């Protein structure tokens, strides 16, 4: 039991460390004010609103920096982008600021098109202020840098709170699908166009097989395995996988007697979780409990169980530290296997 707890504690630390790399931002909301367009891409549109992101302090900070710089105004067909990034010096401290200025041509149109045909032009402003954080990216489009003072006004506070109330009312606190929304805040009421993000993934049925090898009870073993499961997605990223695994293990005990087909059969219930929020960069860890349903030699005792944790290295290889025991944690033996999926 102490061994199992140690393994789980180690995995918990490893998971918390690896999950800090980045985040998949499934929600995008555009906020249209009189002289400004704000675009926010985030992991949660309700928690990453301009009102909740303390914009007054952010704007005052960047204004102090810009006051000490000389910036030539953009030409009629140009846009100046001022990028303000949080670059973490380690996985828990995100306080190193990086500011970049760049110029780009404004020779094309950028549109937001909804499923019902509603179209909005987001090619607005001669300046773009770009904030980049782990769970949010914000772009502020203005024609004049003086327009940033709007964030310091009571009108901004009122309209930002108004938009926040609207989003909560329309989507609720526990929405699961991504959001695409355009909020027009130029009048007294919020005019909104919104839909679920169609780029979100679908739940998936998993039917797979593979081979593997490892070291169990101080002996080399090989196995053939099959899996039937279902994987559920949230905001475009597969999160949880639930599966039944069937494993046929060969331990070479009687190989000298030409008994090559004395396989021991295990059935396991498995759960795996993807700790990454970055699409295409999965970090799958899992846990399973299995039982010896068919015993063909004396390599395993009757009523043998196994528990395993696993780390998916990539789509092909998975490493599995395991513990085997019979009855209630009698004759505990460690093991480790490497599985190859096909």
């Amino acid at each position: 039991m102490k061994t199992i707890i140690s393994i789980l504690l180690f995995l918990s630390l490893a998971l918390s460390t690896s999950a800090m790399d980045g985040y998949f931002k499934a929600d995008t909301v555009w906020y249209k004010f009189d002289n400004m367009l704000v675009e926010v891409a985030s992991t949660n549109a309700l928690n990453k609103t301009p009102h909740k992101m303390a914009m007054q302090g952010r704007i005052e900070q960047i204004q102090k920096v810009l006051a000490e710089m000389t910036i030539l105004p953009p030409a009629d067909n140009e846009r100046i982008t001022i990028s303000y990034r949080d670059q973490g010096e380690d996985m828990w401290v995100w306080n190193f600021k990086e500011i970049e200025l760049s110029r780009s041509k404004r020779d094309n149109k950028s549109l937001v098109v909804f499923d019902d045909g509603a179209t909005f032009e987001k090619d607005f402003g001669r300046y773009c202020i770009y904030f980049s954080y782990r769970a949010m990216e914000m772009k502020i489009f203005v024609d004049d840098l003086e327009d940033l003072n709007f964030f310091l006004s009571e009108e901004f506070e009122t309209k930002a709170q108004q938009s926040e109330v609207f989003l909560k009312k329309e989507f609720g606190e526990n929405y699961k699908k991504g959001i695409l929304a355009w909020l027009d805040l130029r009048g007294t009421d919020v005019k909104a166009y919104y839909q679920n993000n169609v780029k979100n993934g679908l739940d998936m049925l998993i039917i797979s097989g593979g081979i593997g090898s490892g070291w169990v009870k101080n002996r080399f073993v090989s196995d053939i395995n099959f899996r039937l499961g279902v994987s559920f997605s949230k905001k475009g990223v597969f999160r949880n996988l639930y599966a039944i695994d069937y494993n046929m293990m060969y331990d070479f005990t009687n190989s000298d007697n030409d008994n090559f087909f004395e396989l021991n059969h295990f059935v396991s219930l498995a759960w795996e979780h993807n700790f990454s929020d970055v699409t295409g960069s999965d970090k799958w860890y899992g846990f399973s409990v299995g039982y010896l349903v068919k015993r063909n030699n004396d390599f395993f005792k009757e009523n043998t169980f196994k528990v395993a944790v696993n780390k998916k290295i990539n789509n092909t290889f998975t490493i599995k530290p395991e513990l085997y025991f019979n009855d209630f944690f009698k004759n505990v033996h460690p093991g480790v296997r490497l599985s190859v999926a096909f």
Side-chain angles (χ1 to χ4, degrees), residues 1-16 215 271 275 285-288 306-311 319-325 329 332-337:
M1 179 63 73
K2 291 183 179 179
T3 304
I4 297 175
I5 294 174
S6 298
I7 292 174
L8 293 179
L9 288 176
F10 173 78
L11 271 183
S12 176
L13 178 61
L15 298 181
S16 65
W215 195 258
W271 168 76
F275 285 85
Y285 294 80
F287 178 80
S288 64
K306 70 171 180 174
V307 294
V309 293
N310 65 274
K311 166 68 171 73
I319 187 72
K320 297 182 178 182
E322 300 173 321
L323 288 178
Y324 294 82
F325 56 90
F329 286 94
V332 179
H333 295 277
V336 62
R337 290 189 299 115

Side-chain angles (χ1 to χ4, degrees), residues 56-91:
Q56 291 88 344
R58 299 173 193 271
I59 294 300
E60 288 177 347
Q61 192 174 20
I62 199 170
Q63 283 180 328
K64 290 180 181 179
V65 176
L66 294 177
E68 300 187 14
M69 303 173 62
T70 301
I71 303 177
L72 295 177
D76 291 340
N77 64 339
E78 280 187 334
R79 171 181 289 139
I80 294 178
T81 299
I82 305 169
S83 300
Y84 184 85
R85 302 173 184 269
D86 262 1
Q87 299 289 341
E89 294 178 346
D90 60 50
M91 63 185 174

Side-chain angles (χ1 to χ4, degrees), residues 207-226:
I207 301 176
S208 64
I211 58 175
S213 62
W215 195 258
V216 177
K217 297 180 66 175
N218 295 320
R219 182 180 291 274
F220 178 78
V221 298
S222 62
D223 67 272
I224 301 174
N225 54 78
F226 302 93

Side-chain angles (χ1 to χ4, degrees), residues 50 65 71 138 142 156 208 221 264 277 282 341:
V65 176
I71 303 177
M138 176 182 290
V142 292
F156 168 75
S208 64
V221 298
N264 290 298
D277 290 300
D282 296 339

